[in-house]
Amino acid sequence: MTNSHQNTTPRDIRYQYFIENVIAWEGVWALYNNGWLICPGEGEQRFCPFFASRDHAMAWNESAQTGYIPTAITLIELTENLLPDLARHQIEPGISPTGDDGPILPGHDPLHHDLIAALKRSIAGSAS
């Protein structure tokens, strides 16, 4: 038997956890206060942080002290509206930032693809 996790990094695990939980719950959490929180990244880059759960959003928000409120976003709203809007404004989706580690920045298209692929697997698995 081979170890399929031999090259898996903590960031890979965090990203996979995010995808699996988003599909199971059919939504994500972000921080809102008259608009979605946009954070500075490296250089000119900016990102919008997304979380797999309200608890993760609250924990990060408490350490960052943004004054924003954890708010749910449906999977449909995320994939059909928010991700394309972020792409138009050159704002990256920032997956699961933590106090110790910045966000995972998969890019708009790869994130969309990963979410849709996981959703299709979920639907196929529940149909069998």
Side-chain angles (χ1 to χ4, degrees), residues 28-32 35-38 48-51 71-94 108 111-112 115:
V28 300
W29 290 85
L31 301 169
Y32 191 85
W36 298 110
L37 176 65
I38 306 300
C48 180
F50 293 111
F51 303 88
T71 305
I73 304 168
T74 66
L75 185 58
I76 292 171
E77 177 67 20
L78 177 69
T79 58
E80 292 185 4
N81 297 316
L82 192 51
L83 284 179
D85 190 49
L86 291 175
R88 276 191 298 278
H89 292 93
Q90 299 178 333
I91 299 167
E92 292 295 316
H108 305 93
L111 176 59
H112 186 271
L115 289 168

Side-chain angles (χ1 to χ4, degrees), residues 4-56:
S4 62
H5 295 288
Q6 62 192 20
N7 294 325
T8 304
T9 68
R11 289 174 77 80
D12 294 335
I13 294 167
R14 195 168 47 155
Y15 183 70
Q16 191 57 40
Y17 172 87
F18 173 84
I19 296 294
E20 289 171 3
N21 282 275
V22 166
I23 296 307
W25 189 68
E26 297 184 7
V28 300
W29 290 85
L31 301 169
Y32 191 85
N33 184 0
N34 295 320
W36 298 110
L37 176 65
I38 306 300
C39 299
E42 295 181 19
E44 303 268 328
Q45 188 178 55
R46 297 176 298 156
F47 70 92
C48 180
F50 293 111
F51 303 88
S53 73
R54 182 176 185 269
D55 289 344
H56 289 148

